[in-house]
Amino acid sequence: MAAPAPPDQGPPPPAPSPRGRVRSGRLLILAVLVVVAVVLPAVALLDRREPATRLEPGTPPSSAPPAAQTYPPGTPAPALRLPGLDGGQVDLAALRGRPVVVNFWASWCDPCVREFPRLRQAARTHRADRLAVVGVLSGDTAAAARPFVRRLDATWPMALDPNTTAAAAWGAVGLPHTYFIRADGTLASHQLGELTQASLDRQLAQIL
């Protein structure tokens, strides 16, 4: 018995014409050009971005503050003339000829509280060296500072910098920030952050 004939599947699809192949090729090339035009500028833009600044572990926060760039050691200290906490003016220029410690602080700053006794003791210990300590109350109010000053027996002049204008001019990027100035009015060093007894003694030795 003969096998049944396979069902009729119709004629095979026509082969694409040369014109159709050319059109498909053109569309493919156009798509590739569009992708290249979009991707290449984006890659170039990523390459031009500035690398992120990163501090290595253990780098002190005061290693490169704005003050170190603007006022390096050996240059004259910036001007400082502000109203005083108890009236009058606090003028750094009036202390020329004496070694000076300028301490930017605020009553809400815990490290400031901890380092105040060290500053008080330094002022007493080096009275014969004519050491002057100047406090700059930065970003704080006189009303908040007065009881703080009385409680910690801080007898040195306190200047008022409520809008942090002086802090910005000096490059004080945080609190506390302390500057050590020689008798000739030039900067010897500065420290962002709490003064330990060792760091205070070391920097005082540079200006006394």
Side-chain angles (χ1 to χ4, degrees):
M1 182 174 180
D8 186 9
Q9 297 180 357
S17 67
R19 181 178 299 177
R21 287 197 296 272
V22 170
R23 183 178 301 169
S24 299
R26 286 176 178 173
L27 289 176
L28 178 60
I29 292 172
L30 180 60
V32 171
L33 291 176
V34 169
V35 171
V36 170
V38 171
V39 172
L40 284 183
V43 172
L45 181 61
L46 288 175
D47 289 341
R48 288 197 301 269
R49 290 186 308 177
E50 292 293 331
T53 301
R54 182 174 64 89
L55 291 178
E56 293 299 326
T59 301
S62 59
S63 62
Q69 300 169 10
T70 307
Y71 306 110
T75 59
L80 183 68
R81 191 171 189 271
L82 295 168
L85 180 63
D86 296 321
Q89 294 281 329
V90 176
D91 189 355
L92 181 61
L95 298 172
R96 180 65 61 85
R98 300 175 61 183
V100 183
V101 175
V102 176
N103 175 245
F104 287 83
W105 67 283
S107 63
W108 41 261
C109 164
D110 289 339
C112 301
V113 176
R114 292 193 296 266
E115 74 179 7
F116 254 51
R118 301 184 188 109
L119 291 172
R120 182 181 63 232
Q121 185 58 45
R124 292 173 178 173
T125 301
H126 298 287
R127 185 176 294 128
D129 299 312
R130 304 184 69 233
L131 176 67
V133 178
V134 174
V136 182
L137 181 70
S138 189
D140 203 353
T141 66
R146 286 192 180 97
F148 178 93
V149 168
R150 286 195 299 268
R151 177 166 56 88
L152 293 176
D153 192 24
T155 57
W156 51 92
M158 297 291 178
L160 300 177
D161 183 31
N163 298 320
T164 69
T165 304
W170 279 64
V173 296
L175 298 178
H177 204 146
T178 308
Y179 296 80
F180 296 81
I181 304 168
R182 302 183 184 97
D184 64 0
T186 59
L187 286 166
S189 64
H190 67 95
Q191 179 174 323
L192 171 62
E194 182 180 348
L195 291 165
T196 65
Q197 192 61 54
S199 66
L200 177 58
D201 291 342
R202 182 180 67 252
Q203 293 176 95
L204 283 175
Q206 298 180 47
I207 64 173
L208 295 174

